[in-house]
């Protein structure tokens, strides 16, 4: 039984690596191409930051495939993974003015609000898919 669980978790890890890896390779290739074409360094950096965010999001989708975890547990774990990966990317991206501690709190609020909206949209979409 424990071996079967290990196999399932290994499959989830492999799926996370594949999902994140494909995104990372494609987006990094785009950023490198932009750099060698002499494009604006800010645009290249922004593309690479978007690459890191997309990679984290794609890899973390496996959280919702863990059997035996409630949606609440999956969502909380996903939130903390996003907090540890996406939020730092937003901080270093240069997309937001971050001069005071209040600016960081505002960014955290935006991060949480966007996350809640996206989670809600996908919840509605996937609830309808599962019902049909």
């Amino acid at each position: 039984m424990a071996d079967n669980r290990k196999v399932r978790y290994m499959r989830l890890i492999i799926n996370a690596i594949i999902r994140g890896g494909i995104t990372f390779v494609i987006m990094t290739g785009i950023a490198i191409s932009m750099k060698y074409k002499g494009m604006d360094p800010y645009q290249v950096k922004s593309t690479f930051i978007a690459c890191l965010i997309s990679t984290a999001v794609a890899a973390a989708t496996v959280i919702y495939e863990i059997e035996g975890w409630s949606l609440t547990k999956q969502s909380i774990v996903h939130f903390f993974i996003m907090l540890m990966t996406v939020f730092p990317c937003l901080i270093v991206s240069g997309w937001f003015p971050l001069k005071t501690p209040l600016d960081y709190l505002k960014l955290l609020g935006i991060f949480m609000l966007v996350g809640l909206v996206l989670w809600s949209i996908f919840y509605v979409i996937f609830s309808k898919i599962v019902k049909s």
Side-chain angles (χ1 to χ4, degrees):
M1 185 95 121
D3 288 337
N4 195 16
R5 188 181 307 180
K6 286 181 184 178
V7 169
R8 283 195 309 247
Y9 283 125
M10 284 304 294
R11 283 189 185 135
L12 289 172
I13 291 168
I14 290 168
N15 284 341
I17 291 168
I18 290 169
R19 291 174 192 180
I22 290 169
T23 304
F24 183 79
V25 168
I26 291 170
M27 295 287 293
T28 299
I30 292 169
I32 290 170
S33 172
M34 290 170 67
K35 180 173 177 55
Y36 283 107
K37 288 182 179 180
M39 295 183 74
D40 177 26
Y42 179 79
Q43 293 297 326
V44 175
K45 177 185 172 187
S46 290
T47 300
F48 188 69
I49 295 291
C51 163
L52 296 177
I53 292 170
S54 300
T55 298
V57 170
T61 60
V62 300
I63 295 298
Y64 295 100
E65 297 174 16
I66 298 176
E67 295 175 16
W69 281 20
S70 68
L71 180 60
T72 301
K73 183 175 182 176
Q74 292 169 335
S75 299
I76 290 169
V77 169
H78 187 264
F79 169 76
F80 281 107
I81 291 171
M82 295 297 98
L83 187 63
M84 301 304 293
T85 56
V86 173
F87 188 65
C89 288
L90 295 175
I91 290 172
V92 300
S93 69
W95 300 337
F96 302 91
L98 299 171
K99 298 193 182 346
T100 68
L102 183 59
D103 293 335
Y104 288 87
L105 286 176
K106 287 178 188 176
L107 177 58
L108 180 61
I110 291 168
F111 167 80
M112 292 175 71
L113 180 63
V114 169
L116 180 63
V117 168
L118 290 173
W119 185 94
S120 299
I121 290 168
F122 284 109
Y123 177 78
V124 169
I125 290 169
F126 285 106
S127 292
K128 290 185 183 215
I129 290 172
V130 169
K131 284 182 183 177
S132 59

